[in-house]
Amino acid sequence: MQTLDVRASLENLERVEARAPTQEAVDKFARKRIELAKAALETLATLGYANTSLREIAQHSQYSHGVLHYYFSDKLDLITCCVSYYKSICVTRYDDVVVEASSADALLDAFCDRLVETLEREAPLHRLWYDLRAQSLFEDAFHEDISIIDRKLEDMVWRVCNTYCGLAGGHPTLSRASLYAVFDGLFQRALSGYIHGDTGASGQLVKEVRDLLPKLVSAA
Amino acid sequence: MQTLDVRASLENLERVEARAPTQEAVDKFARKRIELAKAALETLATLGYANTSLREIAQHSQYSHGVLHYYFSDKLDLITCCVSYYKSICVTRYDDVVVEASSADALLDAFCDRLVETLEREAPLHRLWYDLRAQSLFEDAFHEDISIIDRKLEDMVWRVCNTYCGLAGGHPTLSRASLYAVFDGLFQRALSGYIHGDTGASGQLVKEVRDLLPKLVSAA
DNA sequence: GAAAAATTTGGACAGTTGTCAAGAATTTGC
DNA sequence: GCAAATTCTTGACAACTGTCCAAATTTTTC
């Protein structure tokens, strides 16, 4: 069992004299955790939290079910790791859209393109997000990680809106919370439509956003 | 087993000659279904969809677990019945607020009061709604019922906003979908805060709504 | 290349799940 | 008040759950 050793070295890293090999072992262990979390995320996104068991997760990875308890102390530990990994994927989705924007219209175009792209290509992952966010209303253990991501998503929306308004020569009329709420809500509706076979869902989302965003900038 | 008989009479109601007693039996059967769905809703709201079993539901009712399969064909049938019952509770929450409003300010006051009241008094029920809406992204069987409620909630928000704007001498600047999205999103955030012990969640929600709604009415 | 450590496997466990059925208890119809 | 239909209880079932562990396998270390 390396688990405890690695954990210990994670906490007492400074006091360990043979740094190099231990550090490497820690990294290796952490890398495997991420690899497994990645596989777990795929299964979770396919089946949903309520219908996903550890055995199912293991079956969709290249390992047996026992290995999960070698790298994770329990199911909660695994899910938490999944959420952390998810964070690293999702919160920077629109960053390049923002920095590369040269005009308000160009930003709006790029933003809509990216919205549709992530909606259609990562639909299962998005629905898992909404699933886990709902779970956090019942399981306190999820709350902290989920709410951190929620704030980061709010920041992301804020950057887009604020940059757009700046390029349009004004500033946002709505609060950060309201801006996040409205875009998240529209996206969630489009996701539901897309998942259930409404082929016009993406187009409708773009139409809504194109109609909405210009209204949210104050007169200069 | 009355189940099949009642089902049949539900479908072939017109062709049954002895109307009175059969109809009564049907009603009785339906009433018991609702009674059980009510109890189930409470358990679901407490534990969440993922953590609620039929035995748990039965334990919090006054019946044994076998009775659930007498009144419901399977778990899905029960949940669906719960969702239908939930609909009858939720979609008229703000109706009297709308019809009794005499001025825009009065409507805004009453709306905020009602928001806080339902947030704090029915928090578990609200989190169940978000939970089940997320489930509908994985289980096709849920989708239809959930999306019907979603539309009714959108209508509800629209009535409030439209009435407010009318009293203020204008009309809403945002689409129905955007209006629902933003209020639902703000409410969801407040719900999360309230559930996790943030005592300022209600106040923050009211502050957001009071700031938001006036901005959503066009110049006459 | 042998000893030691790390990693993986597969089975076992106790508990839970949805579902079903036989019989007891209750209500209904006459 | 009795027979029939109903409602309800109880126990059983097979499958599945998270967790743990001993042994097999692989990798690392010297």
Side-chain angles (χ1 to χ4, degrees):
Chain A
M1 298 266 193
Q2 194 210 3
T3 312
L4 291 175
D5 296 343
V6 172
R7 292 279 156 69
S9 60
L10 270 169
E11 290 166 4
N12 309 321
L13 211 56
E14 307 83 5
R15 298 194 290 162
V16 177
E17 40 269 48
R19 258 167 297 258
T22 303
Q23 181 59 43
E24 195 172 340
V26 171
D27 288 350
K28 193 177 165 193
F29 193 78
R31 249 181 286 122
K32 187 74 96 181
R33 274 172 64 97
I34 292 176
E35 180 195 335
L36 289 169
K38 211 168 158 181
L41 212 52
E42 227 163 290
T43 305
L44 281 164
T46 303
L47 302 175
Y49 174 76
N51 305 314
T52 301
S53 67
L54 291 177
R55 281 177 164 79
E56 198 89 37
I57 290 172
Q59 209 153 9
H60 288 80
S61 77
Q62 56 177 318
Y63 302 99
S64 66
H65 67 271
V67 83
L68 289 174
H69 284 88
Y70 181 72
Y71 288 100
F72 301 95
S73 61
D74 58 5
K75 193 180 182 181
L76 195 83
D77 187 26
L78 169 57
I79 303 279
T80 302
C81 190
C82 286
V83 170
S84 291
Y85 177 71
Y86 172 78
K87 178 175 59 188
S88 69
I89 303 177
C90 72
V91 297
T92 61
R93 274 206 189 91
Y94 303 94
D95 284 5
D96 55 334
V97 167
V98 169
V99 300
E100 291 169 8
S102 53
S103 71
D105 283 347
L107 174 54
L108 183 53
D109 289 342
F111 180 50
C112 287
D113 286 351
R114 187 58 60 86
L115 272 173
V116 171
E117 185 187 331
T118 188
L119 172 70
E120 299 188 347
R121 289 169 56 129
E122 305 178 293
L125 207 57
H126 287 297
R127 69 177 172 182
L128 177 63
W129 161 248
Y130 293 115
D131 189 8
L132 292 178
R133 192 170 65 175
Q135 291 310 312
S136 78
L137 298 174
F138 295 92
E139 301 240 25
D140 278 0
F142 290 167
H143 173 239
E144 193 179 333
D145 291 285
I146 294 292
S147 82
I148 287 174
I149 297 183
D150 215 40
R151 289 309 166 108
K152 286 191 179 291
L153 291 173
E154 182 180 299
D155 291 343
M156 192 175 74
V157 171
W158 174 253
R159 283 196 299 274
V160 172
C161 292
N162 203 34
T163 304
Y164 176 84
C165 291
L167 289 169
H171 52 269
T173 53
L174 301 191
S175 69
R176 292 169 73 105
S178 293
L179 287 171
Y180 175 49
V182 65
F183 284 102
D184 185 60
L186 292 176
F187 188 84
Q188 198 170 347
R189 156 160 312 193
L191 177 65
S192 175
Y194 179 78
I195 284 177
H196 293 105
D198 175 8
T199 52
S202 299
Q204 188 64 31
L205 172 62
V206 168
K207 201 178 147 206
E208 287 282 351
V209 170
R210 285 189 175 281
D211 176 62
L212 174 66
L213 201 45
K215 290 176 181 167
L216 302 181
V217 42
S218 72
Chain B
M1 294 266 195
Q2 194 209 5
T3 313
L4 291 174
D5 297 342
V6 173
R7 291 279 158 67
S9 60
L10 269 169
E11 290 166 4
N12 310 321
L13 212 56
E14 310 83 6
R15 299 194 290 162
V16 177
E17 41 270 53
R19 261 168 294 258
T22 303
Q23 181 59 44
E24 196 172 341
V26 171
D27 287 351
K28 192 176 167 194
F29 192 79
R31 248 181 287 122
K32 188 74 96 179
R33 275 172 62 97
I34 292 175
E35 180 195 335
L36 289 168
K38 210 168 158 181
L41 213 52
E42 226 163 291
T43 305
L44 280 164
T46 304
L47 302 174
Y49 174 79
N51 305 318
T52 302
S53 66
L54 291 177
R55 282 176 163 81
E56 198 89 36
I57 289 172
Q59 209 153 7
H60 288 79
S61 78
Q62 56 177 317
Y63 302 98
S64 64
H65 68 271
V67 83
L68 289 174
H69 285 89
Y70 182 72
Y71 287 100
F72 301 95
S73 59
D74 58 5
K75 192 179 182 180
L76 195 82
D77 187 25
L78 170 58
I79 303 279
T80 302
C81 190
C82 288
V83 171
S84 291
Y85 177 72
Y86 172 76
K87 177 175 58 188
S88 68
I89 305 176
C90 73
V91 297
T92 61
R93 273 205 190 91
Y94 303 94
D95 284 5
D96 55 333
V97 166
V98 169
V99 300
E100 291 169 9
S102 54
S103 71
D105 282 347
L107 174 55
L108 182 53
D109 289 343
F111 180 51
C112 287
D113 285 351
R114 187 60 58 87
L115 272 174
V116 171
E117 184 187 332
T118 188
L119 171 71
E120 298 188 348
R121 290 169 56 128
E122 305 177 292
L125 207 56
H126 287 297
R127 68 177 173 181
L128 176 62
W129 160 248
Y130 293 115
D131 188 8
L132 292 179
R133 191 170 68 175
Q135 292 310 311
S136 79
L137 297 175
F138 294 93
E139 301 241 24
D140 278 1
F142 289 168
H143 172 239
E144 193 180 333
D145 292 283
I146 294 292
S147 81
I148 287 175
I149 297 182
D150 215 40
R151 288 308 164 110
K152 287 191 180 292
L153 292 172
E154 182 181 299
D155 292 343
M156 194 174 73
V157 171
W158 174 254
R159 283 195 298 274
V160 172
C161 291
N162 203 33
T163 304
Y164 176 85
C165 291
L167 289 169
H171 51 269
T173 53
L174 301 192
S175 69
R176 292 168 74 105
S178 292
L179 287 171
Y180 175 49
V182 65
F183 284 102
D184 186 60
L186 291 176
F187 188 83
Q188 198 169 348
R189 155 160 312 193
L191 177 65
S192 175
Y194 179 77
I195 284 177
H196 293 105
D198 175 7
T199 53
S202 299
Q204 188 64 32
L205 172 62
V206 168
K207 199 177 149 206
E208 286 282 351
V209 170
R210 286 191 175 280
D211 176 61
L212 173 65
L213 201 45
K215 290 178 182 168
L216 303 181
V217 42
S218 72

